[in-house]
Amino acid sequence: MKKHNKIKLFNRATPIEYAEKISRQLRGPDIYIKRDDLTDSALGGNKVRKLEYILADALEKDCDTIITTGGPQSNHARITAGVCAQLGLRCILLLSGKKKEVLEGNLLLDKIFGAEIIYAGTWDFKVIHKKMETLKKHLDNHGRRAYTVPLGGASGLGTLGYAECFSEIVKQEKELKIKFSRIFTANGSGGTQAGLEIGKAVEHSAKEIIGISVLFKKEKAAVYVKQEIAEGFKVLGMDPGKEIKINIDDNYIGEGYAIPDESTLNAIKLAGSSEGIVLDPVYTGKAFAGLIDYIKCGKIGNKEKVLFIHTGGYPGIVNMTEKHKKYFEGL
Ligand SMILES: Cc1ncc(COP(=O)(O)O)c(C=O)c1O
């Protein structure tokens, strides 16, 4: 297995906490939460693990400017901006859509972290990725050394962060003397699930990984996850040997990406009021709503122990619409 350098952006390992009150309330399996929302840099979240490998590559290549993309409320863009500030790198965010007049949530944090923001005027990320390459060439021709990071940090190197996370979980299981039968995670660009699947293969584990899609229908989401698994194995110089079966559930997208429904808001309320844990309305709230529904439908045995990966996204909570915020008044 080929080793890749990484920069250390957080103190490992992130804690695994027993959500005792939620488990009791739901009268199902024991639920544990891996606190990847506590990955230190730039308010934390899953993108920090990916950037440890991606930005190490950028630094090895002696780059001084990082270009990436996302929506105006992208957690990935915010964390990249924050980590670039930490490392003294110039950060250019080519954000989708038209200029936003109101700076709030992640967009405000991008500015605070000193990122330069360009609006791409489109939501077509294929077009935006081409624009990023053009910008890189332009900067390189003017004496800079630019490095492009794809949407969501979804690359072979990025997957290594979550392959490593899987091994971290296996180690923590031994320390805590518990065994998880399943792992739940939110699935957006697919890199987190892809990384976990690679880790599972490397560890020869039988755990089930369930990716709750918050964006794509499962067929499309599976294409991305498989592509990233292949890229991840390639950068590791490994051959997976057999086809990796993946499990993606698209039943919890609701009305669409970044639109929380009642079950999402109830999940946020339950985690907040029972455990003091803040889930977000775009990713973790939906994924946790999925886990709750699995339990209520009896899809998980009462004797099982399941692990939910909290992938962060906290700024989404302060950026909810007034209508969604008001929902909590009635709860
Ligand atoms: C908070 C949060 N959770 C989960 C995800 C999904 O991760 P992935 O894009 O690796 O599927 C993202 C992606 O942006 C995210 O910001």
Coordinates of all heavy atoms in Angstrom, one line a residue, residues 46-47 50 75 186-192 280 283 311-313, ligand 1:
N46 N -16.1 17.0 8.1 CA -15.4 15.9 7.4 C -14.4 16.4 6.4 O -13.4 15.6 6.1 CB -16.4 15.0 6.7 CG -17.3 15.7 5.7 OD1 -17.4 17.0 5.7 ND2 -18.0 15.0 4.8
K47 N -14.5 17.6 5.9 CA -13.5 18.0 4.9 C -12.1 18.2 5.4 O -11.2 18.2 4.6 CB -14.0 19.3 4.2 CG -15.4 19.3 3.7 CD -15.6 18.2 2.6 CE -17.0 18.1 2.2 NZ -17.3 17.0 1.3
K50 N -10.0 15.1 4.6 CA -9.7 15.1 3.1 C -8.5 16.1 2.8 O -7.6 15.7 2.1 CB -10.9 15.4 2.3 CG -12.1 14.5 2.4 CD -13.2 14.9 1.4 CE -14.4 14.2 1.6 NZ -15.4 14.3 0.5
N75 N -19.6 24.0 3.0 CA -18.7 23.7 4.2 C -17.3 23.5 3.7 O -16.4 23.9 4.3 CB -19.2 22.5 4.9 CG -20.6 22.7 5.6 OD1 -20.7 23.7 6.4 ND2 -21.5 21.9 5.4
A186 N -23.7 10.8 6.1 CA -24.3 11.5 5.0 C -23.5 11.3 3.8 O -22.3 11.2 3.8 CB -24.4 13.0 5.4
N187 N -24.2 11.3 2.6 CA -23.5 11.2 1.3 C -23.9 12.4 0.5 O -25.1 12.7 0.2 CB -24.0 9.9 0.6 CG -23.3 9.8 -0.7 OD1 -23.3 10.7 -1.5 ND2 -22.8 8.6 -1.0
G188 N -22.9 13.2 0.1 CA -23.1 14.4 -0.7 C -22.3 14.2 -2.1 O -22.9 13.7 -3.0
S189 N -21.0 14.5 -2.0 CA -20.2 14.3 -3.2 C -19.7 12.8 -3.3 O -19.1 12.4 -4.2 CB -19.1 15.3 -3.3 OG -18.1 15.0 -2.3
G190 N -19.9 12.1 -2.2 CA -19.6 10.7 -2.1 C -18.2 10.3 -1.6 O -17.9 9.1 -1.3
G191 N -17.3 11.3 -1.3 CA -15.9 11.0 -0.9 C -15.8 10.3 0.5 O -15.0 9.5 0.7
T192 N -16.7 10.8 1.4 CA -16.7 10.2 2.7 C -17.0 8.8 2.7 O -16.3 7.9 3.2 CB -17.6 11.0 3.6 OG1 -17.2 12.4 3.6 CG2 -17.6 10.5 5.1
D280 N -26.7 19.5 11.5 CA -27.0 20.6 10.5 C -28.2 20.2 9.6 O -28.5 19.0 9.5 CB -25.8 20.9 9.7 CG -25.6 20.0 8.6 OD1 -25.3 18.8 8.8 OD2 -25.8 20.3 7.4
Y283 N -26.9 18.2 5.9 CA -26.2 16.8 5.8 C -26.6 16.0 7.0 O -27.3 15.0 6.9 CB -24.7 17.0 5.7 CG -24.3 17.7 4.5 CD1 -24.0 19.0 4.4 CD2 -24.1 17.0 3.3 CE1 -23.6 19.7 3.3 CE2 -23.6 17.6 2.1 CZ -23.4 18.9 2.1 OH -23.0 19.6 1.0
T311 N -20.5 14.6 10.6 CA -19.6 15.1 9.6 C -19.5 16.7 9.7 O -18.9 17.3 8.8 CB -19.9 14.7 8.2 OG1 -21.4 14.8 8.0 CG2 -19.5 13.2 8.0
G312 N -20.2 17.3 10.7 CA -20.1 18.7 10.8 C -21.2 19.5 10.2 O -22.3 19.1 10.1
G313 N -20.8 20.7 9.7 CA -21.8 21.5 9.0 C -22.5 22.5 9.8 O -23.5 23.1 9.4
Ligands
LIG1 C1 -21.3 18.6 6.9 C2 -21.1 17.7 5.7 N1 -21.5 16.4 5.9 C3 -21.4 15.5 4.9 C4 -21.0 15.9 3.7 C5 -20.9 14.9 2.6 O1 -19.6 14.4 2.4 P1 -19.2 13.9 1.0 O2 -19.3 15.1 0.0 O3 -17.9 13.4 1.2 O4 -20.2 12.9 0.5 C6 -20.6 17.2 3.4 C7 -20.1 17.6 2.1 O5 -20.0 18.8 1.8 C8 -20.7 18.2 4.5 O6 -20.3 19.4 4.3

